[in-house]
Amino acid sequence: MSRALAADGGAATPSAIRTVGDSPLYRGATLALFLSGLGTSAAAPQITLFLVDELHVSLTTAGLYYLTSLTAPVAGYLIGARSDRTGRRLGFFRLCALTGFLGWSAMALSDQVWMPFVIGTVILAFSGAAGSQLFAAVHDDLQATESPVGDGVVSIVRMALTAGWIVGPVAGSLLATAAGPRAMFVATGLCTLAQIVPMGFAGTRLARPDVTNTAAPQPQAPAEYAGRRPGIRAMLPLLAFTGLYVLVYAGEPIKYGYLTIYMHNDMDLPTAVSGAVIGIQPFVELILMPVAVVVARRIGMMRLMVFAAAFGVGANLCFALTGNAAGMFAGQILMGGVWGVFAALGIIVAQRLLPEAVATASAVFMSSTALASALGGLTGSLGVGLLGLPYVFLAPALYGLVATIGIAVMSRSRHAVG
């Protein structure tokens, strides 16, 4: 009898993959975020080359472009707060996608040095909020339907964004080589606009404040908060978690800026080997993302993130201290572990830390990568001059150690997320 009941219970619980496939909203969000990752990652490595080769600016000036990302958190907060007050998640998503198309199209037409900086600061800052609106829409629907596989659904949707970042840099490089960077920027704009297509005319259901969206308990928004902007005090746990995430992520721009140079110029590794080192991380990340969801159900999300942040410390120590190909592979595999956990669970934790304003939480958390890019770029620039290669990687190792301690403290506090 018990076996029969267990079998019936297992059959009654849908899989996350099937849930995504059966829902126009989840399926559309998955495809839209793949297109977002594809377009953004195709353009990101080509921007400085465009500034240097097409607009003839110095390397120092080109590097300052990444500071334009500092406006993204402000834009994301404004969009998220408005979305939480009105509940129009997909309406704001479509507006942000259209803004991205206009921004990248304008980038392709830029013929003055100031133009990319203004476009990046003003227009593209708002386009980045499109993804956070999709995650907020998915959250609302999961909460309204009381889905028992909500974490798995969010993880699958987030995996699509990672998959786009795997394909995008290669596709962008090939297109820029064949047709030029301006054509590549137009293609990025079309990818951004094309996010609207898989969403079709999908709508969302407003989440009820008295239900959960997963099998695990989570904090719920009191009814009196509906339509109100959360105060700073309510946002403090989210801001603390986002700040710690910035410290974890800050090593990525340093790694992408200097690891290839170190492997090529100092270690004399063959191009195929250094390419394999760079490419192994996203594949490890994709493999580990669904595993992270399962493990988090057993030990808790924030406890798992403590281990993931510690992996980041180990990875950067491998880059700084090993000096051989095996150490580079070990570091990248550890980095795959870092992002397999944070990519799968970070957005879920952020939304649970501010359940009364999930669009605001999503926007604040997702814009943290822009802050991390600015911090990492500045740290790398100063660190290479002071420490040289490969010891510049000791700086992100230190950031990661602070983040590990901070997340460990949060995991033991009343703000811990299970």
Side-chain angles (χ1 to χ4, degrees), residues 42-43 46-47 49-50 53-54 104 107-108 171-188:
Q46 303 296 327
I47 292 175
L49 291 175
F50 170 73
D53 295 342
E54 297 287 327
W104 287 113
M107 186 76 76
S173 177
L174 292 174
L175 181 57
T177 300
R182 296 181 187 274
M184 189 270 302
F185 289 147
V186 171
T188 296

Side-chain angles (χ1 to χ4, degrees), residues 330-356:
Q332 281 290 78
I333 291 171
L334 287 171
M335 276 297 182
V338 175
W339 300 120
V341 173
F342 279 95
L345 305 176
I347 190 71
I348 301 173
V349 171
Q351 290 175 343
R352 292 186 182 181
L353 289 172
L354 195 67
E356 65 268 30

Side-chain angles (χ1 to χ4, degrees), residues 50-143:
F50 170 73
L51 292 171
V52 172
D53 295 342
E54 297 287 327
L55 301 184
H56 309 295
V57 304
S58 67
L59 287 173
T60 302
T61 303
L64 294 176
Y65 175 84
Y66 292 100
L67 296 180
T68 63
S69 62
L70 291 175
T71 59
V74 178
Y77 174 77
L78 294 174
I79 294 293
R82 183 65 179 173
S83 173
D84 284 324
R85 288 198 300 273
T86 64
R88 295 179 58 240
R89 314 296 197 201
L90 298 185
F92 284 107
F93 157 73
R94 294 181 179 104
L95 286 174
C96 290
L98 178 60
T99 301
F101 168 72
L102 296 175
W104 287 113
S105 298
M107 186 76 76
L109 298 174
S110 298
D111 58 2
Q112 299 292 325
V113 172
W114 61 266
M115 293 177 69
F117 290 87
V118 173
I119 292 167
T121 301
V122 179
I123 303 178
L124 295 180
F126 284 92
S127 73
S132 65
Q133 295 307 298
L134 285 182
F135 279 113
V138 169
H139 172 277
D140 288 351
D141 199 82
L142 288 169
Q143 188 176 11

Side-chain angles (χ1 to χ4, degrees), residues 14 19 39 72 105 135 137 166-167 199 202 218 220 239 262 272 384 398:
T19 301
S105 298
F135 279 113
I166 293 175
V167 179
M199 296 304 299
Q218 59 176 310
Q220 297 299 322
L239 295 176
Y262 172 57
V384 164
L398 179 59

Side-chain angles (χ1 to χ4, degrees), residues 260-322:
T260 300
I261 295 173
Y262 172 57
M263 290 190 294
H264 182 269
N265 294 346
D266 293 55
M267 297 177 62
D268 295 320
L269 292 181
T271 302
V273 175
S274 61
V277 168
I278 297 298
I280 195 172
Q281 176 187 319
F283 288 103
V284 173
E285 177 182 339
L286 272 180
I287 292 170
L288 291 184
M289 285 178 73
V291 177
V293 174
V294 175
V295 176
R297 289 174 184 158
R298 295 180 178 272
I299 70 172
M301 292 187 183
M302 298 198 77
R303 289 181 181 177
L304 182 58
M305 286 182 172
V306 174
F307 291 103
F311 287 167
V313 177
N316 283 293
L317 290 177
C318 285
F319 298 148
L321 303 176
T322 58

Side-chain angles (χ1 to χ4, degrees), residues 137-154:
V138 169
H139 172 277
D140 288 351
D141 199 82
L142 288 169
Q143 188 176 11
T145 58
E146 303 181 65
S147 172
V149 291
D151 291 352
V153 169
V154 174

